[in-house]
Amino acid sequence: MAKNSGTESPSTVNAPADEVCWPLDLPTRYLTSNFMEYRGGRYHAGLDLKTQSREGFAVRAVEDGYIARLRCTPTAYGRVVYLRGDSGRTFVFAHLQRFNDDLRQRVRLNQEASGKYRTSLYFQADEIRVRKGDVLGLSGQSGTGGPHLHFEVRDRNQRPMDPQALGFAVSDDRAPVIHSLRAWPASSGARVFGQEGEWLCAADGGQGRQGDLGLQGDLGALAVSGPVAFSARIVEATDVAGHKLEPWLIELRLDGDVVYRCANEVFAFDENAQQRLEWTDAADWTDKGVPREHWLHRRAAVTLPGREGDLWYLGDDGQGLAAGLHHLELRARDRAGNTAAVRWQMLVTEQMPAADKISAPEKSRWRKAPLGVRFSRRADLALTPFFSAGDPAAQGLARLMFTPGQDPVLEPLEMWAGLSAGRPVGVDVARGQGLRSVGRQARFLAADWPVGSSLPVVWPDTIAAPGKGRRLGLYRWQKKGQWGFVESVAPGAATEVHLEDPGIHGIFQDVEGPVLQSNDQVLAVNPAPQRAVPGVTLPRWTSTPLAAFDAGCGLDTGSLACTLDGGRLIVEPDPPRDRVLVHWPDEMAPGKHELVVTVKDRAGNAARKTYGILCAE
């Protein structure tokens, strides 16, 4: 059973709603994301509150306290305020468009001194006192892909807790939806209906489309031999918009006993990597958008609070459940108590008849699904999250084994790796991204990825030295059909690279500089709309977005430098929208001005442009 660390959790400390102030000045309260959702190797640490696809709503202190920290970054939280409440909790308000006047002045002075946009300021207790309801800033979209307020509640140990259990709940009368269940043979000899491979029970293909009511009631029986594990696609929604959220509780019962329980209560940031042990992406190897799924068992390295269970499917002897008929029930519940449930049975036999002598019942809702990872049409070569079959050397691949003692591996990992055969992928795409290939591409294949951070491996070929002044980079072929930069690499033999995920990788040199917006027209700057917001002085001039991006290794946002009429001007990098935002100084006079922008990419290629500005009252 998972250990429950610490003393405070949402289940034990519930703040009544009338003791706090809602953090956002909006009459409606809707979520686009909730607590501990999947976030690619980490958990979502709070709630994302909808702001009607707009910026500029007042963000308020939820209780009395003091400002502990301010930060500005091009990505991640963007502009963010950390409020240490008198309760001892920390409240986080992220992606702001603008700080209040006091906070903005402190940030401005720091940026002017450093010459950089990126800022991180810490303050002493009670240095900046605020009262419940005070305006801290305006909601925005800094550092992220669209307007919303990211809001967190952390305990005294800086562990995020579920805000919905602490007085910040939204109305919710919709139950979670169980879209699909997947049965996984967990050993090379395990069979379902006498066959190798996975079986899927899905509503609407398991994609989780809006309006899909999901699986309900009794799903029928599976005939199995050997250990068989399960994963599920479960989605929570709180309103008609149908944003795909995470249920608070997932619980699996076997013959009436709870064998797995996942309750999203609280976590520490150094536990983020455990998320890779709770989800599987292996079903997505077809590149056809099959959603990730949640395991219905607890792996040994998962020690998060709210997690219970073990590898129950192995049975007492590791060979599977005892022979006979077993009853399973899966329940998913949200914070409001809305519940979804499905039931199914497993008839376990010690020796499964041959596949041609047994099949799923004619009206069964279970269907055959692909088996893990396949190569060509070789049915004898497979890699699954539980076992491998066949000899990968037949496809020119080496078998690499990693154990938990090898940081950052959390649980045993098998990977197949080698140089790609045949025509390389994405050749024309790479050219369009300004990338020049250096050597052959390599495949790093894994059906499971229990890795806490970047995994060090040796590149399976000698990396040739680039031209003078050029830098090399490791890139991964992404499902959206382009190369994504991973890290800079050095030439040579037996070069160590660091993988963020499995897949096809290549070594490239970025030979083209960043792209800046055309300067063939004068940029018009107009007065900004004015309205009254307590504690916040709105800007005199509208901000100007300028396109700025690098399709290869990406911008080095720290290299961004601007001058206005020869004097330094701090501008905001906005990578999520491939642009920079120019916030004009209030003291800028009407008339003509000159703006100069320079920036480099992460390979050192530079771009520079001069813009004519016409500022009109």
Side-chain angles (χ1 to χ4, degrees):
M1 183 175 294
K3 295 178 287 186
N4 199 329
S5 57
T7 57
E8 184 182 12
S9 76
S11 295
T12 58
V13 182
N14 249 322
D18 59 359
E19 290 186 5
V20 295
C21 172
W22 190 256
L24 192 60
D25 263 9
L26 263 176
T28 56
R29 299 180 179 182
Y30 296 125
L31 301 180
T32 60
S33 298
N34 67 344
F35 186 64
M36 290 190 77
E37 278 187 25
Y38 183 97
R39 280 294 188 277
R42 64 177 176 85
Y43 298 100
H44 189 239
L47 305 178
D48 285 350
L49 304 177
K50 292 182 70 172
T51 58
Q52 302 175 349
S53 299
R54 295 157 54 194
E55 300 182 73
F57 294 99
V59 174
R60 297 184 180 274
V62 296
E63 70 173 53
D64 294 352
Y66 66 91
I67 303 301
R69 187 184 184 192
L70 298 173
R71 192 158 59 111
C72 297
T73 56
T75 55
Y77 284 9
R79 291 185 190 83
V80 56
V81 175
Y82 297 79
L83 167 65
R84 183 69 57 83
D86 288 346
S87 63
R89 294 173 180 162
T90 296
F91 303 92
V92 182
F93 311 80
H95 309 313
L96 301 183
Q97 178 193 53
R98 194 172 180 84
F99 296 120
N100 71 24
D101 292 349
D102 180 22
L103 305 183
R104 189 173 71 255
Q105 175 67 1
R106 295 170 186 266
V107 168
R108 186 181 68 83
L109 292 174
N110 181 270
Q111 290 175 335
E112 289 178 351
S114 68
K116 303 293 183 182
Y117 172 78
R118 187 180 292 270
T119 305
S120 184
L121 298 175
Y122 292 86
F123 302 99
Q124 297 297 318
D126 297 332
E127 182 178 346
I128 310 175
R129 286 290 302 180
V130 295
R131 299 294 301 274
K132 180 172 69 175
D134 285 351
V135 176
L136 303 176
L138 303 179
S139 66
Q141 58 180 343
S142 59
T144 190
H148 67 273
L149 175 67
H150 174 83
F151 175 67
E152 296 178 19
V153 182
R154 301 181 184 178
D155 67 11
R156 293 172 177 83
N157 297 315
Q158 293 300 304
R159 300 185 309 167
M161 301 184 291
D162 187 358
Q164 289 209 85
L166 299 166
F168 302 100
V170 300
S171 178
D172 179 9
D173 60 1
R174 297 169 180 266
V177 178
I178 302 172
H179 289 285
S180 65
L181 273 171
R182 189 179 301 263
W184 299 79
S187 71
S188 59
R191 298 290 185 269
V192 178
F193 291 120
Q195 301 182 47
E196 298 178 342
E198 308 145 34
W199 283 70
L200 183 68
C201 185
D204 192 29
Q207 295 284 342
R209 296 185 179 94
Q210 187 172 346
D212 178 10
L213 297 178
L215 299 172
Q216 300 178 11
D218 194 327
L219 307 181
L222 288 169
V224 310
S225 63
V228 174
F230 291 87
S231 62
R233 167 71 170 164
I234 308 174
V235 172
E236 157 69 350
T238 61
D239 60 68
V240 294
H243 294 286
K244 296 177 181 179
L245 312 179
E246 181 70 7
W248 162 60
L249 176 69
I250 298 173
E251 190 174 81
L252 181 67
R253 291 178 179 267
L254 172 66
D255 298 329
D257 296 326
V258 175
V259 291
Y260 175 67
R261 190 175 191 271
C262 170
N264 291 329
E265 303 278 7
V266 60
F267 71 95
F269 285 105
D270 62 5
E271 296 171 324
N272 259 321
Q274 293 183 31
Q275 191 211 50
R276 294 189 183 276
L277 305 177
E278 297 201 293
W279 295 78
T280 174
D281 281 320
D284 202 11
W285 279 101
T286 60
D287 287 349
K288 294 181 180 178
V290 180
R292 66 187 63 87
E293 298 167 359
H294 202 293
W295 289 122
L296 299 181
H297 57 263
R298 187 186 70 83
R299 299 166 74 166
V302 176
T303 58
L304 287 163
R307 274 46 172 177
E308 299 177 11
D310 53 20
L311 305 183
W312 58 268
Y313 57 84
L314 293 176
D316 294 335
D317 60 2
Q319 302 302 308
L321 300 181
L325 185 65
H326 297 275
H327 298 268
L328 294 100
E329 181 181 38
L330 174 63
R331 288 182 172 270
R333 184 180 306 159
D334 60 28
R335 274 291 180 188
N338 304 302
T339 303
V342 293
R343 305 178 302 280
W344 69 102
Q345 302 81 44
M346 276 205 307
L347 179 59
V348 180
T349 60
E350 294 183 359
Q351 184 66 39
M352 179 67 67
D356 60 354
K357 297 181 180 180
I358 186 172
S359 61
E362 185 176 341
K363 295 184 179 180
S364 173
R365 301 177 68 176
W366 294 89
R367 296 289 181 265
K368 191 73 172 64
L371 171 65
V373 181
R374 286 190 183 276
F375 300 95
S376 302
R377 297 182 179 178
R378 295 178 59 107
D380 63 335
L381 190 61
L383 182 62
T384 83
F386 299 94
F387 65 91
S388 63
D391 181 11
Q395 293 289 317
L397 298 170
R399 178 181 277 115
L400 306 179
M401 306 299 294
F402 300 87
T403 62
Q406 298 172 267
D407 184 63
V409 179
L410 303 173
E411 293 215 345
L413 165 64
E414 178 175 350
M415 180 190 296
W416 296 352
L419 294 172
S420 296
R423 189 175 187 273
V425 304
V427 174
D428 293 336
V429 173
R431 191 177 299 114
Q433 292 182 243
L435 301 175
R436 181 179 299 161
S437 178
V438 178
R440 294 170 62 185
Q441 296 171 6
R443 293 184 291 175
F444 298 93
L445 304 174
D448 189 28
W449 197 249
V451 178
S453 58
S454 297
L455 180 68
V457 299
V458 174
W459 186 256
D461 198 8
T462 297
I463 301 175
K468 185 178 180 180
R470 297 292 186 185
R471 302 178 190 174
L472 298 178
L474 174 70
Y475 292 75
R476 179 177 180 270
W477 181 249
Q478 300 173 330
K479 290 179 181 177
K480 58 184 178 181
Q482 67 182 41
W483 291 98
F485 178 77
V486 178
E487 66 172 355
S488 297
V489 297
T495 298
E496 184 176 88
V497 299
H498 299 83
L499 307 182
E500 295 177 352
D501 290 287
I504 297 176
H505 289 70
I507 305 295
F508 295 92
Q509 53 179 317
D510 188 335
V511 297
E512 295 183 6
V515 175
L516 291 174
Q517 181 169 313
S518 172
N519 58 357
D520 57 356
Q521 293 184 346
V522 173
L523 300 177
V525 178
N526 298 308
Q530 298 296 310
R531 59 190 174 92
V533 181
V536 181
T537 302
L538 297 184
R540 179 184 179 188
W541 307 106
T542 55
S543 299
T544 300
L546 293 176
F549 64 92
D550 185 86
C553 59
L555 292 181
D556 173 8
T557 57
S559 72
L560 180 63
C562 294
T563 61
L564 177 63
D565 299 331
R568 186 169 62 189
L569 178 67
I570 304 298
V571 298
E572 176 184 352
D574 190 14
R577 277 160 289 279
D578 289 329
R579 67 182 188 178
V580 298
L581 280 174
V582 183
H583 305 295
W584 306 103
D586 290 344
E587 60 271 19
M588 185 172 69
K592 295 182 178 180
H593 301 272
E594 182 181 82
L595 176 73
V596 179
V597 179
T598 60
V599 67
K600 295 180 180 180
D601 62 21
R602 284 181 282 195
N605 304 306
R608 181 181 189 274
K609 281 196 175 177
T610 301
Y611 300 89
I613 308 298
L614 180 59
C615 189
E617 285 283 16

